[in-house]
Coordinates of all heavy atoms in Angstrom, one line a residue:
T29 N 183.5 156.1 291.1 CA 184.5 155.9 290.1 C 183.8 155.7 288.7 O 184.3 156.1 287.7 CB 185.4 154.6 290.3 OG1 184.5 153.4 290.4 CG2 186.1 154.7 291.7
M35 N 181.2 162.2 284.2 CA 181.7 163.5 284.6 C 182.6 164.2 283.6 O 182.5 165.4 283.2 CB 182.3 163.5 286.0 CG 182.9 164.8 286.5 SD 181.6 165.9 287.0 CE 182.5 167.3 287.5
Q43 N 175.6 173.2 283.1 CA 175.7 172.9 284.5 C 177.1 172.1 284.7 O 177.6 171.6 283.8 CB 174.5 172.0 284.9 CG 174.5 170.6 284.4 CD 173.8 170.5 283.1 OE1 173.0 171.3 282.7 NE2 174.3 169.5 282.3
E49 N 169.6 164.1 280.9 CA 169.4 164.6 279.5 C 170.7 164.6 278.8 O 170.8 164.3 277.6 CB 168.8 166.0 279.5 CG 167.3 166.0 280.0 CD 167.1 165.8 281.5 OE1 168.1 165.9 282.2 OE2 165.9 165.6 281.9
G59 N 179.7 158.0 269.3 CA 180.1 156.8 268.7 C 180.1 155.5 269.6 O 179.6 155.6 270.7
A64 N 179.5 152.6 274.7 CA 179.9 151.6 275.6 C 180.3 152.2 277.0 O 180.0 151.6 278.0 CB 181.2 150.9 275.0
F76 N 176.6 149.1 292.0 CA 177.4 149.4 293.3 C 176.6 150.3 294.2 O 176.8 150.2 295.4 CB 178.8 149.9 293.0 CG 179.7 148.9 292.5 CD1 180.1 148.7 291.2 CD2 180.2 148.0 293.5 CE1 181.0 147.7 290.8 CE2 181.1 147.0 293.1 CZ 181.5 146.8 291.8
F94 N 174.4 144.9 318.2 CA 175.7 145.1 318.8 C 175.7 146.0 320.0 O 176.4 145.7 321.0 CB 176.7 145.6 317.8 CG 178.1 145.8 318.3 CD1 178.9 144.7 318.6 CD2 178.6 147.0 318.5 CE1 180.2 144.8 319.0 CE2 179.9 147.2 319.0 CZ 180.7 146.1 319.2
L95 N 174.8 147.0 320.0 CA 174.8 148.0 321.1 C 174.3 147.4 322.4 O 174.5 147.9 323.5 CB 173.8 149.1 320.7 CG 174.3 150.0 319.5 CD1 173.3 151.1 319.3 CD2 175.6 150.6 319.8
K96 N 173.7 146.2 322.3 CA 173.1 145.5 323.5 C 174.1 144.5 324.1 O 173.8 143.8 325.1 CB 171.8 144.8 323.1 CG 170.8 145.7 322.5 CD 169.6 144.9 322.0 CE 168.6 145.8 321.2 NZ 167.5 145.0 320.6
Y100 N 180.1 145.7 322.9 CA 180.0 147.1 322.7 C 180.5 147.9 323.9 O 181.2 148.9 323.8 CB 178.5 147.5 322.5 CG 178.2 149.0 322.5 CD1 178.6 149.8 321.5 CD2 177.6 149.6 323.6 CE1 178.4 151.2 321.5 CE2 177.4 150.9 323.7 CZ 177.7 151.7 322.6 OH 177.5 153.1 322.7
L144 N 166.6 170.9 296.2 CA 167.2 169.7 296.8 C 168.5 170.1 297.6 O 168.8 169.4 298.6 CB 167.6 168.7 295.8 CG 166.4 168.1 294.9 CD1 166.9 167.2 293.9 CD2 165.4 167.5 295.8
Y157 N 176.6 166.2 312.9 CA 176.2 166.3 314.3 C 176.4 164.9 315.0 O 177.0 164.9 316.1 CB 174.8 166.7 314.5 CG 174.3 166.7 315.9 CD1 174.7 167.6 316.8 CD2 173.4 165.7 316.3 CE1 174.2 167.6 318.1 CE2 172.9 165.6 317.6 CZ 173.4 166.6 318.5 OH 172.9 166.5 319.8
R161 N 179.2 164.2 317.9 CA 178.8 163.6 319.2 C 179.6 162.4 319.5 O 180.1 162.3 320.7 CB 177.3 163.2 319.1 CG 176.3 164.3 319.4 CD 175.0 163.8 319.8 NE 175.0 163.0 321.0 CZ 174.0 162.5 321.6 NH1 172.8 162.6 321.0 NH2 174.1 161.8 322.7
R169 N 186.1 161.4 327.1 CA 186.5 160.3 328.0 C 188.0 160.2 328.2 O 188.5 160.2 329.3 CB 186.0 158.9 327.5 CG 186.4 157.7 328.3 CD 185.7 156.5 327.8 NE 186.2 156.1 326.5 CZ 187.3 155.4 326.2 NH1 188.1 155.0 327.2 NH2 187.6 155.2 324.9
V179 N 198.4 154.0 324.6 CA 199.3 154.5 323.6 C 200.0 153.3 322.9 O 200.3 153.4 321.7 CB 200.3 155.4 324.3 CG1 201.3 155.9 323.2 CG2 199.7 156.6 324.9
P204 N 176.8 171.8 297.0 CA 176.0 173.0 296.6 C 176.8 174.2 296.2 O 176.4 175.0 295.3 CB 175.1 173.3 297.8 CG 175.0 172.0 298.5 CD 176.3 171.3 298.3
T209 N 173.2 178.1 292.1 CA 173.3 179.5 291.6 C 172.7 180.5 292.6 O 172.6 181.7 292.3 CB 172.6 179.6 290.2 OG1 171.2 179.2 290.4 CG2 173.2 178.8 289.2
A236 N 197.7 161.4 313.2 CA 198.7 160.7 312.4 C 200.1 160.9 313.2 O 200.9 159.9 313.2 CB 198.8 161.3 311.0
P254 N 196.2 148.0 307.1 CA 195.6 148.8 305.9 C 195.3 150.2 306.2 O 195.2 151.0 305.3 CB 194.3 148.0 305.7 CG 194.6 146.6 306.1 CD 195.5 146.8 307.3
G285 N 190.8 182.2 290.0 CA 192.1 181.6 290.3 C 192.9 181.5 289.0 O 192.3 181.7 287.9
I300 N 201.5 163.3 297.9 CA 201.3 162.8 299.3 C 200.7 161.5 299.3 O 201.1 160.6 300.1 CB 200.5 163.8 300.1 CG1 201.1 165.2 300.1 CG2 200.3 163.3 301.6 CD1 200.3 166.3 300.8
L312 N 202.5 146.2 304.4 CA 201.6 145.1 304.2 C 202.4 143.9 303.6 O 202.2 142.7 304.0 CB 200.5 145.4 303.2 CG 199.4 146.4 303.8 CD1 198.5 146.8 302.6 CD2 198.6 145.7 304.8
G326 N 192.8 133.3 307.7 CA 192.4 134.4 308.6 C 191.5 135.3 307.8 O 191.6 135.5 306.6
V335 N 190.0 148.8 300.3 CA 189.3 149.2 299.1 C 189.3 150.7 298.9 O 189.5 151.3 297.8 CB 187.8 148.8 299.2 CG1 187.0 149.3 298.0 CG2 187.7 147.3 299.3
F362 N 191.4 163.4 275.4 CA 191.1 162.2 274.5 C 192.3 162.0 273.6 O 192.2 161.2 272.6 CB 189.8 162.4 273.7 CG 188.6 162.6 274.5 CD1 187.6 163.5 274.1 CD2 188.4 161.9 275.7 CE1 186.5 163.7 274.9 CE2 187.3 162.1 276.5 CZ 186.3 163.0 276.1
V372 N 195.6 154.1 283.9 CA 196.0 153.9 285.3 C 194.9 154.0 286.2 O 194.7 153.2 287.2 CB 197.2 154.8 285.7 CG1 197.6 154.6 287.1 CG2 198.3 154.7 284.7
A379 N 190.9 146.9 289.8 CA 191.6 146.1 290.9 C 190.7 146.2 292.1 O 190.6 145.2 292.9 CB 193.0 146.7 291.2
R389 N 183.1 137.6 299.0 CA 183.0 136.1 299.0 C 183.5 135.6 300.4 O 183.0 134.7 301.0 CB 183.8 135.5 297.9 CG 183.7 134.0 297.8 CD 184.5 133.5 296.6 NE 185.9 133.9 296.7 CZ 186.9 133.3 297.4 NH1 186.6 132.3 298.2 NH2 188.1 133.8 297.4

Side-chain angles (χ1 to χ4, degrees):
T29 64
M35 177 72 180
Q43 71 277 329
E49 290 77 11
F76 282 105
F94 180 73
L95 296 180
K96 304 171 186 176
Y100 169 74
L144 300 179
Y157 173 73
R161 277 199 60 179
R169 177 175 64 85
V179 178
T209 57
I300 300 172
L312 288 172
V335 178
F362 302 142
V372 180
R389 179 180 59 80

